[in-house]
Amino acid sequence: MKIQIIILSIISCLTLSCSTQKLFIETTDWEKENLKGKVKSTSLFQDSILLNSTEYDKKGFKIKSIFYNHDGKLRNEIKYDYSNGYLTTETSEFADGKVYKTTYERDNKNRVIKETSIYPNGEIDSRIEFEYNDSNQIIKRTYIPKNNNSYCYTFEYSLTEKKEIHCTYGLHYLNELSDGLVIKRNEYKSNGEIRMGHSYEYNNHQDVILEIELWDNKETDRINYSYEYDETGNWLIKVQEWKSGGKSKVRREITYY
């Protein structure tokens, strides 16, 4: 009987632990960039000029990204290094030979707790430190530049809202969510008045089709987006049209595994 009680107690503890703490799963770059299917690489063009290209591994994480200036010349190349499937270092080499690094320190749940930016001479440029709740959501982000001053944000979550509070300046931002997508983002002054806002509408591919910018509750800009898609549901052509009449068109080439 004692053995049965002990076994039941262990099962109960394990069940309680699983119910209160979610398993941390790294969000893939496919998910972050709203890419569908097993994308191997993407290349973005404006007119005939290549702007950037990115390669992904078979799990959906970036291997390498290359960026170009608008004159077509190489700007920089970023390589991504992993350990046990988790990103540890980003190495960015610029056309002039200078190399910048960003390292990621993780806790025993593989969550990033410190992000460090390093100059080419090895000096630390800045650090960002993160704290989490039991649902693996970031509840505090602290930015520490090389002068060791610190600036932090705290975060509060609900099913329909994400609230960001700037600890240093008293500003806060409220994101209204629908199916996990931000449909409205307002920036509030320290006295509670809305300073700036954006609202968004999406299509069934979860791509933005309308963005409205507000300043002091008055519309200052409106951007319409239109797309052409491939059979997998990834856009190949994206057109932006501003309220002022400006227009931008980019083309994306995608290869799959």
Side-chain angles (χ1 to χ4, degrees):
M1 176 65 78
K2 286 184 178 180
I3 294 175
Q4 289 176 328
I5 292 173
I6 292 171
I7 292 172
L8 288 172
S9 298
I10 293 172
I11 293 172
S12 176
C13 290
L14 288 173
T15 303
L16 180 61
S17 175
C18 291
S19 64
T20 56
Q21 293 197 7
K22 291 184 179 179
L23 178 66
F24 174 72
I25 300 175
E26 187 89 284
T27 303
T28 68
D29 291 309
W30 287 343
E31 293 171 306
K32 292 175 185 176
E33 297 171 17
N34 194 28
L35 290 168
K36 292 89 172 175
K38 292 187 175 296
V39 173
K40 183 177 183 180
S41 67
T42 62
S43 297
L44 192 68
F45 298 82
Q46 190 161 44
D47 298 323
S48 60
I49 298 174
L50 177 61
L51 301 179
N52 62 68
S53 63
T54 300
E55 297 176 14
Y56 305 84
D57 64 20
K58 291 183 177 180
K59 294 181 180 180
F61 295 98
K62 292 179 181 178
I63 302 171
K64 181 172 66 175
S65 297
I66 304 175
F67 298 88
Y68 300 86
N69 297 317
H70 282 275
D71 60 5
K73 294 181 180 179
L74 175 68
R75 189 180 77 195
N76 68 304
E77 178 179 317
I78 302 176
K79 293 182 179 178
Y80 306 86
D81 294 314
Y82 299 83
S83 177
N84 298 320
Y86 293 95
L87 181 65
T88 57
T89 308
E90 291 182 20
T91 303
S92 181
E93 183 173 353
F94 282 78
D96 61 5
K98 291 181 179 178
V99 177
Y100 294 80
K101 287 189 177 183
T102 302
T103 62
Y104 299 89
E105 182 181 328
R106 296 175 180 268
D107 62 13
N108 57 7
K109 295 182 180 178
N110 292 315
R111 303 176 301 191
V112 174
I113 55 173
K114 185 185 292 185
E115 177 182 325
T116 304
S117 298
I118 304 170
Y119 283 128
N121 62 5
E123 291 183 1
I124 292 177
D125 172 26
S126 61
R127 304 188 308 277
I128 304 176
E129 298 178 352
F130 303 90
E131 297 177 22
Y132 297 82
N133 60 18
D134 288 339
S135 296
N136 298 317
Q137 296 167 315
I138 295 172
I139 56 173
K140 188 176 183 180
R141 183 181 70 224
T142 304
Y143 171 72
I144 308 168
K146 60 182 179 180
N147 62 12
N148 283 324
N149 291 333
S150 63
Y151 308 89
C152 75
Y153 281 91
T154 57
F155 301 85
E156 300 172 7
Y157 302 87
S158 74
L159 292 176
T160 58
E161 291 183 345
K162 176 184 175 183
K163 189 175 184 180
E164 308 169 25
I165 302 170
H166 197 304
C167 311
T168 310
Y169 298 111
L171 301 173
H172 71 274
Y173 308 83
L174 186 63
N175 300 283
E176 293 183 25
L177 309 175
S178 177
D179 296 325
L181 299 172
V182 176
I183 57 173
K184 185 181 289 186
R185 176 180 170 84
N186 286 333
E187 177 184 323
Y188 293 84
K189 302 175 186 177
S190 56
N191 62 6
E193 294 179 0
I194 296 178
R195 176 174 177 267
M196 185 177 180
H198 287 83
S199 63
Y200 305 91
E201 293 180 14
Y202 300 82
N203 60 18
N204 57 3
H205 294 280
Q206 296 188 331
D207 290 315
V208 174
I209 56 174
L210 176 63
E211 178 181 352
I212 298 175
E213 181 182 290
L214 303 170
W215 191 274
D216 289 334
N217 255 349
K218 295 179 181 178
E219 183 178 312
T220 56
D221 206 353
R222 176 181 289 256
I223 308 172
N224 288 281
Y225 299 80
S226 59
Y227 305 88
E228 294 179 20
Y229 291 88
D230 66 10
E231 294 180 353
T232 309
N234 292 312
W235 65 261
L236 299 177
I237 301 290
K238 178 169 73 171
V239 178
Q240 296 173 252
E241 296 184 72
W242 283 266
K243 185 178 181 179
S244 61
K247 192 173 182 178
S248 172
K249 179 180 178 181
V250 292
R251 176 174 60 88
R252 184 166 65 176
E253 294 181 356
I254 300 175
T255 61
Y256 295 89
Y257 283 102

